[in-house]
Amino acid sequence: MSPDERIDFSSLDPAREPARWQAVVAATLRRAEAVLQERRRAQDPLNLIAQWMRPVLLAAAFVLALLLPLELRLELEERQRQPARRLASLSVEWAAGAPPSRAVLLAALGGGAR
Amino acid sequence: MRASDAELVRRVRRGEPAAAGELAERYLRAARAVALALTRSEPDADDVCQDAFVTAIQRIDDCREPERFSAWLMQIVRNRARNHLRHAAVRAAAPLEDVAALAAPAASPAWAAEQARLRARLLLALGELGEERREVVLLHDLEGWTHAEIAERLELPSGTVRSHLHHARRRLRQLLRAERETPE
């Protein structure tokens, strides 16, 4: 027998047990299909947008959480400053020769005292 | 027209199962042969080739040369097989209990015993060869790959493939003849 003749490996051929080999192939393809399904899901445009949107929304929520107390504080300060501004404006009008009525003056003073 | 490996890889990247099926059709048997060359156990080879193929599909974006998919897959098979040997643990890969239940039922007990004995002899003899020679002889004589295909897909020089094949066959014949001549 020539050393370059094929060795008979037929007893190791998976095709000798077709049902068994087909089951191995089918199991492999099932697992590959599951991987590809996940891949398609990840590549779906809506998913891509959702993936992109999620961090943007998170960042927006974070910024809002930071800015909201600041906005409330500024608004409160503004509200506190309003009576003083009103008094200043009445004083200017008074100095210009247009004295405010007693009711207006008391209302402005009352607001400032609050 | 037969799609190239590179085209199939591109389609797998787009998530097409038919392309993965075509790649399995082309290379799963060869992957098993390479796994068998390393593990020298058919059930382990079945596990390893399955695991390696699924890993290749999972990591398809890492296949930098899609036209050389088979060489890349065989490298994954080798890594998996070595890992398998190191850990020698049953993988959670396949429902192989189901597969085992499908083992050839039809043959006579005497024939089945003879086949099992032949398989054991071949696997034992293969164990006497180096890993590369085992791969080459199995891919050529079991899978029917040509010298050129083996050289390209295992990334070996063509002369090395011929030499491996020649020496592997000669050594296997010696071992099988000696085993036959040894009284039981």
PDB file of all heavy atoms in Angstrom, chain A residues 25-42:
ATOM      1  N   VAL A  25     -25.880  20.064  13.706  1.00  0.00           N
ATOM      2  CA  VAL A  25     -25.982  21.217  12.793  1.00  0.00           C
ATOM      3  C   VAL A  25     -27.185  22.077  13.181  1.00  0.00           C
ATOM      4  O   VAL A  25     -27.079  23.304  13.275  1.00  0.00           O
ATOM      5  CB  VAL A  25     -26.101  20.739  11.317  1.00  0.00           C
ATOM      6  CG1 VAL A  25     -26.366  21.914  10.391  1.00  0.00           C
ATOM      7  CG2 VAL A  25     -24.834  20.001  10.897  1.00  0.00           C
ATOM      8  N   ALA A  26     -28.318  21.401  13.429  1.00  0.00           N
ATOM      9  CA  ALA A  26     -29.539  22.153  13.761  1.00  0.00           C
ATOM     10  C   ALA A  26     -29.346  22.941  15.057  1.00  0.00           C
ATOM     11  O   ALA A  26     -29.750  24.107  15.150  1.00  0.00           O
ATOM     12  CB  ALA A  26     -30.721  21.197  13.883  1.00  0.00           C
ATOM     13  N   ALA A  27     -28.712  22.314  16.060  1.00  0.00           N
ATOM     14  CA  ALA A  27     -28.482  23.023  17.335  1.00  0.00           C
ATOM     15  C   ALA A  27     -27.565  24.224  17.109  1.00  0.00           C
ATOM     16  O   ALA A  27     -27.787  25.297  17.670  1.00  0.00           O
ATOM     17  CB  ALA A  27     -27.871  22.064  18.354  1.00  0.00           C
ATOM     18  N   THR A  28     -26.565  24.033  16.257  1.00  0.00           N
ATOM     19  CA  THR A  28     -25.632  25.133  15.966  1.00  0.00           C
ATOM     20  C   THR A  28     -26.383  26.283  15.294  1.00  0.00           C
ATOM     21  O   THR A  28     -26.215  27.451  15.666  1.00  0.00           O
ATOM     22  CB  THR A  28     -24.513  24.631  15.018  1.00  0.00           C
ATOM     23  OG1 THR A  28     -23.936  23.469  15.585  1.00  0.00           O
ATOM     24  CG2 THR A  28     -23.448  25.689  14.819  1.00  0.00           C
ATOM     25  N   LEU A  29     -27.208  25.930  14.311  1.00  0.00           N
ATOM     26  CA  LEU A  29     -27.927  26.983  13.579  1.00  0.00           C
ATOM     27  C   LEU A  29     -28.957  27.686  14.459  1.00  0.00           C
ATOM     28  O   LEU A  29     -29.167  28.893  14.323  1.00  0.00           O
ATOM     29  CB  LEU A  29     -28.591  26.405  12.322  1.00  0.00           C
ATOM     30  CG  LEU A  29     -27.600  25.931  11.260  1.00  0.00           C
ATOM     31  CD1 LEU A  29     -28.333  25.364  10.049  1.00  0.00           C
ATOM     32  CD2 LEU A  29     -26.669  27.062  10.825  1.00  0.00           C
ATOM     33  N   ARG A  30     -29.565  26.920  15.364  1.00  0.00           N
ATOM     34  CA  ARG A  30     -30.516  27.551  16.292  1.00  0.00           C
ATOM     35  C   ARG A  30     -29.814  28.605  17.132  1.00  0.00           C
ATOM     36  O   ARG A  30     -30.303  29.720  17.304  1.00  0.00           O
ATOM     37  CB  ARG A  30     -31.127  26.496  17.224  1.00  0.00           C
ATOM     38  CG  ARG A  30     -32.480  25.976  16.800  1.00  0.00           C
ATOM     39  CD  ARG A  30     -33.230  25.325  17.962  1.00  0.00           C
ATOM     40  NE  ARG A  30     -32.440  24.369  18.715  1.00  0.00           N
ATOM     41  CZ  ARG A  30     -32.268  23.093  18.364  1.00  0.00           C
ATOM     42  NH1 ARG A  30     -32.834  22.623  17.277  1.00  0.00           N
ATOM     43  NH2 ARG A  30     -31.551  22.283  19.116  1.00  0.00           N
ATOM     44  N   ARG A  31     -28.637  28.254  17.636  1.00  0.00           N
ATOM     45  CA  ARG A  31     -27.885  29.207  18.481  1.00  0.00           C
ATOM     46  C   ARG A  31     -27.415  30.401  17.649  1.00  0.00           C
ATOM     47  O   ARG A  31     -27.454  31.544  18.099  1.00  0.00           O
ATOM     48  CB  ARG A  31     -26.705  28.507  19.139  1.00  0.00           C
ATOM     49  CG  ARG A  31     -27.150  27.500  20.194  1.00  0.00           C
ATOM     50  CD  ARG A  31     -25.970  26.803  20.823  1.00  0.00           C
ATOM     51  NE  ARG A  31     -25.081  27.733  21.494  1.00  0.00           N
ATOM     52  CZ  ARG A  31     -23.806  27.481  21.783  1.00  0.00           C
ATOM     53  NH1 ARG A  31     -23.278  26.331  21.441  1.00  0.00           N
ATOM     54  NH2 ARG A  31     -23.075  28.360  22.406  1.00  0.00           N
ATOM     55  N   ALA A  32     -26.977  30.117  16.415  1.00  0.00           N
ATOM     56  CA  ALA A  32     -26.515  31.207  15.547  1.00  0.00           C
ATOM     57  C   ALA A  32     -27.687  32.138  15.223  1.00  0.00           C
ATOM     58  O   ALA A  32     -27.534  33.364  15.217  1.00  0.00           O
ATOM     59  CB  ALA A  32     -25.917  30.642  14.266  1.00  0.00           C
ATOM     60  N   GLU A  33     -28.849  31.555  14.986  1.00  0.00           N
ATOM     61  CA  GLU A  33     -30.050  32.349  14.665  1.00  0.00           C
ATOM     62  C   GLU A  33     -30.402  33.276  15.840  1.00  0.00           C
ATOM     63  O   GLU A  33     -30.749  34.440  15.640  1.00  0.00           O
ATOM     64  CB  GLU A  33     -31.206  31.401  14.314  1.00  0.00           C
ATOM     65  CG  GLU A  33     -32.606  32.014  14.327  1.00  0.00           C
ATOM     66  CD  GLU A  33     -32.823  33.080  13.279  1.00  0.00           C
ATOM     67  OE1 GLU A  33     -32.059  33.117  12.305  1.00  0.00           O
ATOM     68  OE2 GLU A  33     -33.743  33.911  13.467  1.00  0.00           O
ATOM     69  N   ALA A  34     -30.289  32.742  17.060  1.00  0.00           N
ATOM     70  CA  ALA A  34     -30.585  33.565  18.246  1.00  0.00           C
ATOM     71  C   ALA A  34     -29.614  34.743  18.324  1.00  0.00           C
ATOM     72  O   ALA A  34     -30.011  35.873  18.630  1.00  0.00           O
ATOM     73  CB  ALA A  34     -30.497  32.713  19.509  1.00  0.00           C
ATOM     74  N   VAL A  35     -28.356  34.488  18.007  1.00  0.00           N
ATOM     75  CA  VAL A  35     -27.344  35.556  18.018  1.00  0.00           C
ATOM     76  C   VAL A  35     -27.695  36.609  16.970  1.00  0.00           C
ATOM     77  O   VAL A  35     -27.641  37.816  17.229  1.00  0.00           O
ATOM     78  CB  VAL A  35     -25.939  34.964  17.729  1.00  0.00           C
ATOM     79  CG1 VAL A  35     -24.931  36.057  17.454  1.00  0.00           C
ATOM     80  CG2 VAL A  35     -25.482  34.092  18.884  1.00  0.00           C
ATOM     81  N   LEU A  36     -28.098  36.135  15.782  1.00  0.00           N
ATOM     82  CA  LEU A  36     -28.392  37.073  14.696  1.00  0.00           C
ATOM     83  C   LEU A  36     -29.680  37.862  14.962  1.00  0.00           C
ATOM     84  O   LEU A  36     -29.792  39.026  14.579  1.00  0.00           O
ATOM     85  CB  LEU A  36     -28.484  36.321  13.364  1.00  0.00           C
ATOM     86  CG  LEU A  36     -27.142  35.755  12.889  1.00  0.00           C
ATOM     87  CD1 LEU A  36     -27.317  34.938  11.629  1.00  0.00           C
ATOM     88  CD2 LEU A  36     -26.141  36.876  12.648  1.00  0.00           C
ATOM     89  N   GLN A  37     -30.614  37.202  15.630  1.00  0.00           N
ATOM     90  CA  GLN A  37     -31.869  37.890  15.978  1.00  0.00           C
ATOM     91  C   GLN A  37     -31.557  39.074  16.903  1.00  0.00           C
ATOM     92  O   GLN A  37     -32.075  40.174  16.720  1.00  0.00           O
ATOM     93  CB  GLN A  37     -32.796  36.904  16.675  1.00  0.00           C
ATOM     94  CG  GLN A  37     -34.245  37.319  16.635  1.00  0.00           C
ATOM     95  CD  GLN A  37     -35.145  36.197  17.126  1.00  0.00           C
ATOM     96  OE1 GLN A  37     -34.684  35.147  17.572  1.00  0.00           O
ATOM     97  NE2 GLN A  37     -36.419  36.426  17.055  1.00  0.00           N
ATOM     98  N   GLU A  38     -30.700  38.817  17.868  1.00  0.00           N
ATOM     99  CA  GLU A  38     -30.281  39.869  18.800  1.00  0.00           C
ATOM    100  C   GLU A  38     -29.561  40.993  18.036  1.00  0.00           C
ATOM    101  O   GLU A  38     -29.749  42.178  18.298  1.00  0.00           O
ATOM    102  CB  GLU A  38     -29.370  39.245  19.860  1.00  0.00           C
ATOM    103  CG  GLU A  38     -28.855  40.200  20.911  1.00  0.00           C
ATOM    104  CD  GLU A  38     -29.967  40.914  21.669  1.00  0.00           C
ATOM    105  OE1 GLU A  38     -31.059  40.339  21.847  1.00  0.00           O
ATOM    106  OE2 GLU A  38     -29.734  42.078  22.049  1.00  0.00           O
ATOM    107  N   ARG A  39     -28.774  40.575  17.052  1.00  0.00           N
ATOM    108  CA  ARG A  39     -28.023  41.541  16.241  1.00  0.00           C
ATOM    109  C   ARG A  39     -28.981  42.424  15.430  1.00  0.00           C
ATOM    110  O   ARG A  39     -28.824  43.632  15.370  1.00  0.00           O
ATOM    111  CB  ARG A  39     -27.102  40.761  15.301  1.00  0.00           C
ATOM    112  CG  ARG A  39     -26.085  41.594  14.605  1.00  0.00           C
ATOM    113  CD  ARG A  39     -25.227  40.733  13.709  1.00  0.00           C
ATOM    114  NE  ARG A  39     -24.271  41.557  13.029  1.00  0.00           N
ATOM    115  CZ  ARG A  39     -23.098  41.909  13.522  1.00  0.00           C
ATOM    116  NH1 ARG A  39     -22.725  41.461  14.690  1.00  0.00           N
ATOM    117  NH2 ARG A  39     -22.294  42.691  12.870  1.00  0.00           N
ATOM    118  N   ARG A  40     -30.001  41.765  14.831  1.00  0.00           N
ATOM    119  CA  ARG A  40     -30.979  42.536  14.034  1.00  0.00           C
ATOM    120  C   ARG A  40     -31.730  43.519  14.936  1.00  0.00           C
ATOM    121  O   ARG A  40     -32.003  44.640  14.552  1.00  0.00           O
ATOM    122  CB  ARG A  40     -31.973  41.583  13.364  1.00  0.00           C
ATOM    123  CG  ARG A  40     -31.403  40.860  12.159  1.00  0.00           C
ATOM    124  CD  ARG A  40     -32.538  40.242  11.328  1.00  0.00           C
ATOM    125  NE  ARG A  40     -33.316  39.284  12.092  1.00  0.00           N
ATOM    126  CZ  ARG A  40     -33.013  37.998  12.237  1.00  0.00           C
ATOM    127  NH1 ARG A  40     -31.938  37.522  11.679  1.00  0.00           N
ATOM    128  NH2 ARG A  40     -33.793  37.196  12.924  1.00  0.00           N
ATOM    129  N   ARG A  41     -32.062  43.043  16.130  1.00  0.00           N
ATOM    130  CA  ARG A  41     -32.788  43.903  17.075  1.00  0.00           C
ATOM    131  C   ARG A  41     -31.946  45.138  17.406  1.00  0.00           C
ATOM    132  O   ARG A  41     -32.440  46.253  17.429  1.00  0.00           O
ATOM    133  CB  ARG A  41     -33.095  43.113  18.351  1.00  0.00           C
ATOM    134  CG  ARG A  41     -34.295  43.612  19.126  1.00  0.00           C
ATOM    135  CD  ARG A  41     -34.355  42.941  20.482  1.00  0.00           C
ATOM    136  NE  ARG A  41     -33.168  43.201  21.279  1.00  0.00           N
ATOM    137  CZ  ARG A  41     -32.910  44.340  21.912  1.00  0.00           C
ATOM    138  NH1 ARG A  41     -33.764  45.337  21.835  1.00  0.00           N
ATOM    139  NH2 ARG A  41     -31.805  44.492  22.611  1.00  0.00           N
ATOM    140  N   ALA A  42     -30.653  44.895  17.614  1.00  0.00           N
ATOM    141  CA  ALA A  42     -29.761  46.015  17.958  1.00  0.00           C
ATOM    142  C   ALA A  42     -29.589  46.978  16.778  1.00  0.00           C
ATOM    143  O   ALA A  42     -29.346  48.164  16.972  1.00  0.00           O
ATOM    144  CB  ALA A  42     -28.412  45.468  18.388  1.00  0.00           C
TER     145      ALA A  42
END
